[in-house]
Amino acid sequence: MTTHPAGTVHHALREEPSDGTWWLPGPNAFAACALAPSARTVADARSFTRTTLEGWKMCPGVAEDATTVVSELVTNALRYGTADGGVHGVHPAWLALTRQEASVLCAVSDAGTSAPVVRPHDELAESGRGLHIVDLLSDSWGWTPPDRLGKTVWATLSRRG
């Protein structure tokens, strides 16, 4: 699994070299939505993901796993996305989904300026399992280097078997 920063979210998708430069094929489909700071945000993000991936005819297993991954990424964005623990102001959080062939990239951007932290596994802890779940369900995941505008945490999933 990839658990390190990527230069951009585009580095999470398949790249092929071409004449010494990097070439990224265009996505087959793209969808995004703003994440409002409300009690329904995580449920709305799951619904958006499920509906979008069903519309793209993604494999049901991938769609189910992607919905769970998005739930964890959005929860983290809402919890850690700003210094005061909420998504406010001029830097809203966003969810983006990109399909490329049988793979989907799930990306959540927020105003947080610190990198995600994978907590040590603790079966008795009441929280701290989100990134472990993301790691388990995704082919790879990572984040863009945080800057003054925030960061993007992403995960890629594809049909298995």
Side-chain angles (χ1 to χ4, degrees):
M1 301 295 156
T2 302
T3 55
H4 58 80
T8 69
V9 173
H10 300 291
H11 290 108
L13 295 173
R14 182 176 35 252
E15 296 176 336
E16 299 176 15
S18 172
D19 300 330
T21 61
W22 286 101
W23 169 79
L24 179 65
N28 297 115
F30 175 81
C33 69
L35 301 173
S38 78
R40 294 225 15 102
T41 301
V42 176
D44 290 345
R46 282 193 303 263
S47 178
F48 176 81
T49 301
R50 190 176 304 108
T51 301
T52 300
L53 298 184
E54 286 173 0
W56 291 347
K57 308 288 191 245
M58 292 296 294
C59 167
V62 172
E64 182 178 324
D65 288 350
T67 299
T68 302
V69 165
V70 163
S71 181
E72 297 301 333
L73 296 180
V74 170
T75 297
N76 284 349
L78 295 175
R79 181 173 284 172
Y80 307 110
T82 64
D84 62 2
V87 179
H88 306 288
V90 296
H91 303 294
W94 285 87
L95 165 61
L97 303 170
T98 303
R99 179 178 64 91
Q100 192 154 7
E101 298 173 9
S103 297
V104 64
L105 171 82
C106 307
V108 176
S109 300
D110 63 48
T113 56
S114 59
V117 175
V118 179
R119 294 183 185 174
H121 183 71
D122 181 354
E123 292 182 18
L124 300 176
E126 292 184 16
S127 64
R129 293 183 186 88
L131 293 177
H132 291 282
I133 292 169
V134 170
D135 187 59
L136 179 68
L137 296 178
S138 64
D139 297 329
S140 62
W141 73 277
W143 61 92
T144 59
D147 61 20
R148 66 181 181 79
L149 298 177
K151 67 180 175 308
T152 299
V153 182
W154 54 266
T156 59
L157 298 91
S158 58
R159 184 173 55 220
R160 292 165 177 74

